[in-house]
Amino acid sequence: MTAFESHFPPMNTRTHEVCGPSAYAFAFALAGRVCRTGADTVLWVREAWNGTQLNPLGFAPYLDPQQLLIAQAPSHIDALASAEEALRSGRISLVVMELSQPIGLTEGRRLQLAAQQGRAMGLCILPEGMGSNAAQTRWHCAPVFDAKARADSTLQKWEIIKNKSGTLRAWNVKWDAQTCRINVVSEAAQR
Amino acid sequence: MWFPRLPSDRVLRARAQVTANDNRPFVLTHHEKNTDRIYCLNRAAEAQGLHRGMGVSDARAYCPELQSQPADTVADARFLQMLARWSKRYCPWVGLDGADGLMLNIAGSAHLFGGEAAMLDDMRHRLARAGLSGHIAAANTRGAAWALTHYGRAAHDDIRTLPVAALRLDAKTDTALQRLGLRKVSDLLALPRATIARRFGPDVVLRLDQAMGAQDEVITPMGEVPHYGVRLTLPDPIGLAADVMMGTERLLVRLCDKLKEQDMGARQLQLTLRRVDQGAQQVELRLAAPMRDADRISPLFERGIGAVDAGFGIDQMRLEATQVEPLLNAQITTATASRPDGLDDLITRLGNRIGLENIQRLLPADSHIPERSFQIAPAAYSTSNGAWSRHRPRPLKLFPPEPILGAGSQPPTRFRWRRMSLTTGRSTGPERIAPEWWLPDEAWRTGVRDYWYVETREGRRLWLFHTPQNPGWFVHGEFA
């Protein structure tokens, strides 16, 4: 339990990466956790061709949709440039980048520096296996089917698969809509 | 000044070969009661026997080589405004007279042009050179000037000899007067005033007095339209980005002062950099919120100025607020002091890279259709407000419905979706959502949808729907 608290939310002023089918849930849980006050803003940078629509009614339990700005970048480069500018501005608490191509070491490092300068957190949602070496941590998130739980189960497996300053670990977590927080479910209960 | 052919003159003026077209019949048309009618015509068309209000097809029958174009009354009004601004060279007191005339109060300024007659000659000459046919006359009263421009034959006709219609009467009164044999203004003047008033109402007497100068009539001058543009001419051409930035800052300070005077804020700015070789480069800046703070705007120009090619140097800079919005002075309180102003600047910066309308926010909408329960609005032109209703769990992402194989009204136990074979572990539903019949939507042609929350044994939690009226199963969204 305490181990999870020390890993989540991940270190501020850094960029992190997340992959896997539940990456959206991770991003929104993190956004909700980072942006507790109404003045905080999350910028969600995505590439304009992406047909998948963020559903505000779906993520409203995690984060007030008013706090979210969406930037539809025409290309991969524009997405990275916009994210960098937003990180550096100091007005945005969390920048989520939804990318379809791997980012190189140079771009990753630039994002790190921008995050440091603007005292913001960056999160890249990347396809599996496309991470950059510059990221502070990389998470893999996948939903888990829980045969015994109630119907509205949100059980997921969150796993740190890269960590620059710590160990790799995995947790089974559950989103608690009442308290708006992530609860860790003991491993033993799963077996 | 009366411009009897203002609309057609305006259009013909804009054409490239004015002189070539001049003697060919030309009409402007407008659509009225299901037919195209002549709105305005040039002299050549009038010579062919055409007249206003005539059907265009009839006119074509008379005159096969007729050229025509639809009329644009908004542009005409703008053109008249422009003419009014031009005529301020003669006197400051200029008013519009209907849709095709101008009224100038030249008392006190005529001597500057060498007298009334010389001034009128100058006007005629300049208008003729500009390709405008105008009737110009000067008189002691506004009514008399109107009468002379519209009905006068010679330059200094006596108003008494003009027909009664020259008194700006409506058509009905005019006909009534004509029927009584009162054809000229002098006929009307010979009658006792009480008789005219009793018979035709006070309007005729008023117009008569106005024309003769017994009753005052003022010209309402046009207000000065505020113009938000400043420029800077440099003695030596500059080429360094830092120098251009410095010049822009200077211009911005002046522009912002102008904006402040009028309680306005700029929404869109255009910086024109003229080069020594007569080329011009433009930098556009669209702001996410109305602004008039030079210190905040100038860093936003950096990116645009960096992309400018200075060539042999820039010797003239011009900054114009092409779009302004009212921006009142706001009181600084504890509530507004912490307002995230910097967010607007960030939206501007991002917007200048990827387009201001591509920075979006989500607003609640009143609909139960999942795709329409929210609106996507450009963040720069909307404010975040409104409450989000949460009744049932909704997926985090929505995508266009993807068909899967399935039969019956229960979710399929095994199905393939996106090259994965999935097994239904648990399903919750159905929740029936009916299409909004008052809004036609292609995607909802298949009728009502029964939505199911399906948890697969593989983990993925999907939002499936079944269309009972047109059997089929689709995946529409994915939960956390």
Side-chain angles (χ1 to χ4, degrees):
Chain A
M1 188 76 186
T2 48
F4 180 73
E5 292 295 322
S6 69
H7 285 86
F8 187 88
M11 198 189 288
N12 197 14
T13 74
R14 293 279 160 173
T15 58
H16 304 271
E17 287 175 358
V18 62
C19 60
S22 280
Y24 269 52
F26 181 86
F28 282 119
L30 180 60
R33 184 68 190 267
V34 171
C35 301
R36 277 295 162 82
T37 67
D40 286 333
T41 307
V42 179
L43 180 74
W44 191 292
V45 183
R46 54 211 317 259
E47 290 167 55
W49 53 265
N50 194 336
T52 303
Q53 175 65 50
L54 298 177
N55 186 10
L57 291 180
F59 68 75
Y62 297 87
L63 172 80
D64 184 356
Q66 292 183 19
Q67 290 175 267
L68 186 81
L69 284 179
I70 300 172
Q72 305 269 11
S75 71
H76 181 67
I77 294 292
D78 281 322
L80 286 175
S82 307
E84 190 188 337
E85 188 131 15
L87 280 171
R88 186 161 287 146
S89 74
R91 294 294 341 168
I92 298 283
S93 309
L94 174 70
V95 178
V96 180
M97 292 152 264
E98 207 180 331
L99 301 170
S100 56
Q101 293 172 38
I103 52 176
L105 203 55
T106 318
E107 291 91 333
R109 185 76 192 130
R110 281 188 74 112
L111 289 176
Q112 285 287 13
L113 291 173
Q116 228 159 359
Q117 206 177 330
R119 310 203 59 71
M121 199 194 296
L123 179 71
C124 300
I125 300 182
L126 282 163
E128 275 176 57
M130 286 194 187
S132 124
N133 213 14
Q136 180 72 23
T137 57
R138 185 174 310 129
W139 297 68
H140 182 273
C141 302
V144 175
F145 179 65
D146 181 3
K148 283 171 283 183
R150 289 176 296 125
D152 62 337
S153 162
T154 56
L155 188 69
Q156 292 165 23
K157 184 170 187 180
W158 288 8
E159 197 174 355
I160 299 188
I161 55 174
K162 174 186 182 299
N163 192 350
K164 278 195 171 177
S165 58
T167 51
L168 303 185
R169 284 211 46 187
W171 296 271
N172 276 328
V173 298
K174 221 172 196 175
W175 166 256
D176 186 347
Q178 257 81 46
T179 56
C180 280
R181 55 175 296 174
I182 296 286
N183 287 340
V184 179
V185 183
S186 65
E187 296 277 338
Q190 290 306 302
R191 305 236 164 93
Chain B
M1 288 187 196
W2 179 45
F3 304 102
R5 282 182 245 279
L6 185 81
S8 61
D9 281 349
R10 179 184 67 80
V11 175
L12 286 175
R13 234 169 73 87
R15 293 200 167 183
Q17 328 87 341
V18 181
T19 43
N21 281 328
D22 213 9
N23 45 14
R24 263 187 280 163
F26 174 81
V27 293
L28 288 178
T29 63
H30 74 140
H31 203 71
E32 185 186 283
K33 290 183 190 159
N34 252 351
T35 40
D36 280 330
R37 293 186 179 278
I38 294 180
Y39 175 71
C40 188
L41 66 175
N42 71 348
R43 206 178 290 274
E46 215 163 47
Q48 296 270 340
L50 310 183
H51 57 86
R52 287 183 190 208
M54 195 180 195
V56 173
S57 42
D58 290 350
R60 277 254 155 69
Y62 280 112
C63 173
E65 75 271 49
L66 185 70
Q67 295 195 349
S68 69
Q69 191 176 323
D72 180 0
T73 48
V74 179
D76 292 339
R78 210 180 307 137
F79 186 63
L80 189 66
Q81 288 275 351
M82 205 192 75
L83 275 175
R85 216 162 58 230
W86 166 80
S87 56
K88 284 193 178 168
R89 72 200 309 280
Y90 295 108
C91 69
W93 210 259
V94 179
L96 301 185
D97 181 46
D100 52 3
L102 295 177
M103 278 287 169
L104 278 71
N105 187 351
I106 56 167
S109 64
H111 70 279
L112 298 171
F113 293 84
E116 220 169 69
M119 189 186 211
L120 296 193
D121 276 345
D122 184 56
M123 288 179 184
R124 274 193 204 100
H125 176 67
R126 283 176 192 272
L127 286 177
R129 210 170 53 184
L132 292 171
S133 52
H135 291 207
I136 303 165
N140 290 331
T141 62
R142 183 180 170 172
W146 193 91
L148 285 175
T149 50
H150 287 69
Y151 289 93
R153 294 277 168 265
H156 282 282
D157 256 341
D158 188 357
I159 185 167
R160 287 155 215 273
T161 63
L162 295 179
V164 281
L167 290 173
R168 291 180 282 171
L169 301 172
D170 55 59
K172 204 175 142 199
T173 321
D174 181 39
T175 323
L177 287 169
Q178 300 257 3
R179 206 169 279 160
L180 290 175
L182 299 166
R183 301 204 186 278
K184 293 198 170 155
V185 179
S186 54
D187 299 341
L188 208 54
L189 278 169
L191 289 179
R193 290 173 60 87
T195 323
I196 307 175
R198 203 164 49 233
R199 181 88 193 232
F200 303 107
D203 203 35
V204 180
V205 182
L206 174 76
R207 288 301 191 196
L208 197 61
D209 285 349
Q210 281 176 344
M212 304 313 293
Q215 177 85 36
D216 231 15
E217 192 181 3
V218 293
I219 296 170
T220 313
M222 285 192 339
E224 193 71 53
V225 183
H227 177 72
Y228 304 103
V230 285
R231 65 179 176 189
L232 182 69
T233 312
L234 302 158
D236 282 322
I238 55 171
L240 293 177
D243 294 344
V244 179
M245 271 309 290
M246 205 175 283
T248 311
E249 275 164 35
R250 274 213 227 164
L251 288 175
L252 265 175
V253 170
R254 277 164 56 199
L255 182 70
C256 290
D257 283 346
K258 262 191 183 186
L259 289 166
K260 210 168 285 173
E261 270 169 32
Q262 307 276 346
D263 279 339
M264 296 299 241
R267 197 68 200 247
Q268 194 171 337
L269 294 161
Q270 192 174 44
L271 178 69
T272 310
L273 303 168
R274 211 195 64 186
R275 304 195 310 202
V276 185
D277 58 358
Q278 300 295 311
Q281 302 240 320
Q282 289 183 330
V283 181
E284 285 233 353
L285 184 67
R286 289 171 71 196
L287 300 170
M291 255 189 235
R292 55 158 180 258
D293 190 348
D295 292 342
R296 270 176 65 201
I297 301 175
S298 71
L300 304 175
F301 263 115
E302 264 164 18
R303 184 179 140 77
I305 287 176
V308 165
D309 174 18
F312 294 109
I314 290 160
D315 65 348
Q316 205 181 64
M317 302 171 67
R318 198 181 127 72
L319 181 67
E320 192 183 0
T322 45
Q323 205 180 318
V324 289
E325 268 179 29
L327 175 65
L328 296 175
N329 286 318
Q331 187 161 357
I332 298 173
T333 63
T334 46
T336 58
S338 63
R339 212 171 40 187
D341 267 342
L343 197 58
D344 288 335
D345 290 0
L346 177 68
I347 293 173
T348 304
R349 276 168 185 279
L350 296 182
N352 280 307
R353 175 180 283 275
I354 64 172
L356 203 52
E357 56 289 330
N358 285 336
I359 317 287
Q360 299 161 341
R361 75 167 102 237
L362 301 164
L363 300 174
D366 186 20
S367 172
H368 57 261
I369 302 277
E371 314 81 301
R372 281 209 226 106
S373 57
F374 57 89
Q375 273 182 313
I376 303 170
Y381 300 102
S382 61
T383 46
S384 55
N385 59 352
W388 294 87
S389 56
R390 283 189 256 146
H391 300 302
R392 290 162 184 280
R394 286 283 182 250
L396 280 181
K397 21 179 163 172
L398 286 174
F399 29 78
E402 293 169 12
I404 53 169
L405 280 178
S409 62
Q410 291 292 315
T413 46
R414 300 183 67 82
F415 57 94
R416 283 187 71 79
W417 174 67
R418 291 192 179 172
R419 291 195 234 159
M420 289 179 282
S421 47
L422 301 169
T423 320
T424 303
R426 180 169 37 224
S427 56
T428 316
E431 176 192 351
R432 176 160 288 189
I433 296 180
E436 289 172 330
W437 50 265
W438 57 93
L439 290 172
D441 188 343
E442 206 55 50
W444 283 79
R445 281 288 150 76
T446 45
V448 298
R449 294 178 178 180
D450 288 336
Y451 277 93
W452 292 79
Y453 170 43
V454 171
E455 290 174 72
T456 60
R457 292 200 175 272
E458 290 73 19
R460 293 317 244 320
R461 289 183 266 265
L462 301 173
W463 212 33
L464 265 60
F465 71 82
H466 173 58
T467 47
Q469 288 164 343
N470 198 345
W473 279 91
F474 299 88
V475 186
H476 194 198
E478 189 174 0
F479 288 84

